[in-house]
Amino acid sequence: MTQRTPLVAANWKMNGSKALVAEMTTLLTRADLQGIDVLLCPPATLLPLFTQAEKLALGGQNLSQFQAGAYTGELSASLLQQAGASYVLVGHSERRTLFAEDDELLLAKVQQAVSTGLTPVFCVGENLQQRQQEKTTEVLAKQLAAVYASHPELLAKSVIAYEPVWAIGTGEAATPEQAQQAHAAIRQQLARYDATAASKVRILYGGSVNAGNAGALFSEADIDGGLVGGASLKPAEFLEICLRAKD
Ligand code: 13P
C-alpha cells in the first residue's frame, strides 16, 4: 500500500485578518503536527504576515495563467511564491462558477503553477443536479481529463481536492461513503494517465468539513486529508480537524 502523508488545508476565501493570522500561527506552531502536512491558503495579501510559521505550508487561492506582464489586478505564480506560497488552489468551484473559469484556462493555470514550482491543488466536484442525475463520475472524469489527459506529467506534481458543490458552505458534508466512492473514482480515472502518480497523489475532501465529521472522512482509504473553508477560520476547530488526520 502506498503511504500518503495526510494534508489538511485551510481555504480562508475572502476572509481573515492580521489578527487571525497571529491567532492561527500561535495555536498551530505550538501543536504537535508531526506526521501531517498543514497548508494555509489565506487571501494573498496576508501571506507575508506568516513569519513564524515554519511548520506550516502556505498557498494562494488562485493565480494568473500568465507569467508576468500588463495584467492589472492579477497575481502570478512567482509573486505568490515570493510572498511565501508553495501551493496554490486551482479551479475551486467558486472560481469556476462565479468567475467563469473553464477547462482550458485551468490547464494553463496548473501549468503556470507547476512550471514555477508551486504545487497546484486542483479542485473538482459535481453540483447537486449532476449528482441527482447520477453524473458524478462523468463530471469528475471530464474535469480531470481537462488537465491530466493531455499532460499526465503534471499529476505527480499535483494535489487533487474533491469538493462536491452541494456540500460547500451548506453544513451538509458528503457522507464518508459518498466521499470515498468519489475519491476512488478519481484515483481510478487518474490511473489511466499515470498509475504510479495516481497511487501517490493526495486527494483531499472539501465541503462542510468540521471537527465532528473530519475523523470519519479522513479514515476512508482514498481520503488523504481535507480542504476546509468555514471551519478553518476558527483556530481551535481547525487544529482539531488537523489532529483528526493523525488518528
Ligand atoms: P466549507 O468548508 O465552508 O464548506 O468550504 C469548503 C471549501 O470550499 C474549501 O475550499
Side-chain angles (χ1 to χ4, degrees):
M1 211 186 107
T2 309
Q3 284 298 325
R4 296 180 293 264
T5 305
L7 171 63
V8 181
N11 175 9
W12 285 6
K13 308 192 180 183
M14 202 169 72
N15 299 295
S17 61
K18 282 183 173 182
L20 187 61
V21 170
E23 210 188 324
M24 191 65 92
T25 307
T26 304
L27 196 71
L28 293 181
T29 50
R30 285 187 193 151
D32 176 10
L33 299 172
Q34 231 180 356
I36 56 170
D37 292 339
V38 175
L39 165 64
L40 300 175
C41 302
T45 51
L46 296 179
L47 285 169
L49 303 181
F50 283 90
T51 48
Q52 308 290 319
E54 300 86 20
K55 287 202 294 183
L56 309 171
L58 298 174
Q61 298 175 9
N62 176 40
L63 80 166
S64 171
Q65 69 273 37
F66 303 115
Q67 200 175 355
Y71 303 105
T72 303
E74 290 292 281
L75 284 175
S76 67
S78 164
L79 288 167
L80 288 168
Q81 195 169 50
Q82 290 172 61
S86 51
Y87 291 78
V88 63
L89 307 182
V90 180
H92 189 281
S93 72
E94 288 149 19
R95 302 292 322 169
R96 290 176 187 264
T97 55
L98 302 173
F99 301 96
E101 296 197 350
D102 62 14
D103 286 344
E104 195 185 342
L105 177 68
L106 295 177
L107 168 60
K109 290 190 174 198
V110 171
Q111 287 177 305
Q112 266 307 322
V114 170
S115 66
T116 309
L118 293 179
T119 301
V121 178
F122 184 64
C123 305
V124 296
E126 81 288 1
N127 64 30
L128 185 59
Q129 192 189 20
Q130 290 162 335
R131 174 159 283 263
Q132 285 168 341
Q133 293 173 348
E134 297 181 1
K135 289 193 177 144
T136 299
T137 310
E138 187 187 322
V139 169
L140 298 177
K142 182 172 174 293
Q143 291 172 336
L144 295 166
V147 174
Y148 301 106
S150 55
H151 294 81
E153 75 285 356
L154 296 171
L155 185 57
K157 307 250 165 86
S158 297
V159 169
I160 306 292
Y162 169 59
E163 296 209 308
V165 179
W166 49 270
I168 296 177
T170 60
E172 190 200 340
T175 64
E177 296 73 27
Q178 284 173 323
Q180 166 57 26
Q181 206 172 28
H183 283 229
I186 288 169
R187 207 178 295 285
Q188 205 173 9
Q189 173 76 18
L190 293 173
R192 296 197 202 169
Y193 309 133
D194 181 337
T196 308
S199 72
K200 290 185 182 165
V201 71
R202 292 184 287 187
I203 308 178
L204 313 183
Y205 168 78
S208 296
V209 174
N210 58 42
N213 61 25
L217 286 161
F218 298 168
S219 64
E220 293 290 340
D222 287 293
I223 301 184
D224 306 309
L227 179 53
V228 186
S232 76
L233 297 166
K234 301 174 201 157
E237 180 162 15
F238 183 64
L239 173 58
E240 253 328 286
I241 295 169
C242 292
L243 297 175
R244 293 287 80 79
K246 287 182 80 163
D247 296 345

